[in-house]
Amino acid sequence: MLGVKSVSKVALITGASRGIGRGIAIELAKSGISVAINYLSSYENARELLCEIKSFNPNSGIYKADISNELEVSEMVHKIESDLGEIDILVNNAGISQIGLFQDMTSSERDRMIGVNLIGAMNLTKAVLAKMIHNKSGDIINISSMWGEIGASCEVVYSASKAGLIGFTKALAKELGPSGIRVNCISPGVIDTDMNSNLSADDIKALSDDIPLKRIGTPDDIAKAVKFLISDSAKYITGQVLSVSGGMVI
Ligand code: NAP
C-alpha cells in the first residue's frame, strides 16, 4: 500500500489496473476521491496508475486480491479501511471473458467465470456492506455488459454472469435503499480495452458502422457514467441499468 489516511470519500475499484477500471480510477481521483486500486496480476500497471492519479489525489493505494476469493477480499477491505478510511463507493468492475461454444467450455472455466464476474461482486459487496449500513450511506456500481441484457452467442456463461449482476443490482437496491445505499449498474457496449484485443481493425470498423453513434466506446465513456451515478445529480436513482453503448442496445 502506498497511501495515507484521508478525509475525502474513498472508492474501491476492482480490476483497476487496466481498461475500464483504470479509466474509472482516473476520473474519480480527478474529482478528489481517494482511490483503492484493486489488481490481480498487473502490478506494474497498477503502480503506474497510482503514480498518475497521485497528482489528483495523493491519498490512494494499490491492493492485490483475487476477487473470487472471499478471504483475500476481506483482508483487502480491512487493509484499505486502515490505510485510507471506510469505503464510501464500491465499483465492481473486474471481470473476465472467454469466447467459444458453451458445449466446449469446461466446468472449471465456467466456475471461474461465474466466480470472478458474479461471486466476486458479491464478495466485495458483503465485505463493505456492514460499514455502509452503519453509516446509512454508500454507492455501489456494478459493471455488467450489454450481453447480460440481450445475450451473446459464444459468450453464454459470460452473458449469464452479467445477467446475474443485473438481478443482483435490482434486488440489492430494494434491500439497501432504506439504509441510504444506492446500487446501480452500467451496461457497456463494445469498449476499447484489452478485453477486445481479438478484434482486428476491420472488425472494429464494421462494428462502428453498426453503432448509431458510429464508434466503439472508451473507458472514459464508462467512467463519466460512473461519476454521474455516484453524484448527487443521481441521488434519486437506484436499481437501474444504464446502457453506455453508443446506441448499440436500445
Ligand atoms: P480488461 O481490460 O481485460 O481488464 C480486466 C481487469 O480486471 C484487469 O484490471 C484485471 O486485473 C482485473 N481482473 C480480472 N480478474 C480478476 C480477479 N479475479 N480479481 C481481481 N481483478 C481481476 O477488461 P475491461 O474491458 O476493462 O473490462 C472491465 C469490466 O467491464 C469487466 O467486468 C467486463 O466484463 C466489462 N465489460 C467490458 C466491455 C468491453 O468491451 N471491454 C464491454 C462490456 C462489459 P489484472 O490485469 O491485474 O489481473
Side-chain angles (χ1 to χ4, degrees):
M1 203 301 303
L2 300 165
V4 292
K5 278 193 198 308
S6 89
V7 291
S8 59
K9 280 196 171 185
V10 176
L12 166 55
I13 304 161
T14 65
S17 51
R18 296 183 286 117
I20 291 172
R22 182 178 190 281
I24 297 168
I26 293 169
E27 187 65 30
L28 298 200
K30 279 183 183 169
S31 310
I33 294 169
S34 297
V35 176
I37 299 163
N38 160 250
Y39 70 100
L40 179 57
S41 53
S42 302
Y43 170 71
E44 284 305 329
N45 298 57
R47 283 277 316 207
E48 280 167 26
L49 174 63
L50 182 62
C51 288
E52 189 174 337
I53 68 173
K54 277 201 168 219
S55 59
F56 305 118
N57 189 331
N59 306 306
S60 297
I62 63 172
Y63 299 88
K64 179 175 178 174
D66 180 341
I67 61 160
S68 69
N69 183 313
E70 196 171 16
L71 181 62
E72 286 186 31
V73 166
S74 161
E75 287 172 355
M76 173 177 70
V77 166
H78 284 128
K79 183 90 175 87
I80 294 167
E81 286 170 349
S82 107
D83 292 340
L84 306 178
E86 289 177 5
I87 294 160
D88 306 286
I89 300 157
L90 168 65
V91 184
N92 284 313
N93 164 77
I96 53 173
S97 67
Q98 183 179 329
I99 293 173
L101 292 174
F102 174 67
Q103 68 210 58
D104 293 339
M105 199 169 191
T106 66
S107 48
S108 66
E109 288 169 337
R110 176 202 63 200
D111 292 353
R112 178 69 184 158
M113 187 160 303
I114 299 290
V116 174
N117 292 3
L118 183 56
I119 309 291
M122 293 179 178
N123 287 339
L124 265 297
T125 303
K126 190 131 187 247
V128 303
L129 216 46
K131 298 258 166 60
M132 285 188 178
I133 291 170
H134 180 261
N135 295 336
K136 282 204 154 286
S137 96
D139 269 295
I140 299 172
I141 306 289
N142 296 317
I143 306 296
S144 177
S145 163
M146 63 177 171
W147 302 136
E149 294 183 271
I150 61 174
S153 167
C154 293
E155 289 196 78
V156 169
V157 176
Y158 178 81
S159 299
S161 70
K162 294 299 184 175
L165 267 184
I166 291 173
F168 179 56
T169 300
K170 292 182 178 184
L172 200 63
K174 288 184 179 177
E175 191 165 300
L176 296 179
S179 298
I181 300 163
R182 295 185 302 114
V183 188
N184 285 295
C185 188
I186 292 175
S187 173
V190 182
I191 309 299
D192 187 12
T193 70
D194 295 343
M195 195 172 267
N196 290 315
S197 55
N198 59 314
L199 297 176
S200 67
D202 284 348
D203 292 335
I204 290 175
K205 164 96 178 59
L207 267 169
S208 301
D209 286 345
D210 279 347
I211 296 171
L213 292 182
K214 296 293 166 205
R215 66 172 176 87
I216 65 166
T218 65
D220 187 57
D221 291 320
I222 307 303
K224 291 284 194 302
V226 171
K227 188 178 170 188
F228 165 67
L229 285 173
I230 63 168
S231 75
D232 276 354
S233 302
K235 66 184 175 191
Y236 200 52
I237 298 176
T238 195
Q240 302 305 303
V241 181
L242 178 58
S243 174
V244 185
S245 65
M248 199 167 170
V249 174
I250 292 178

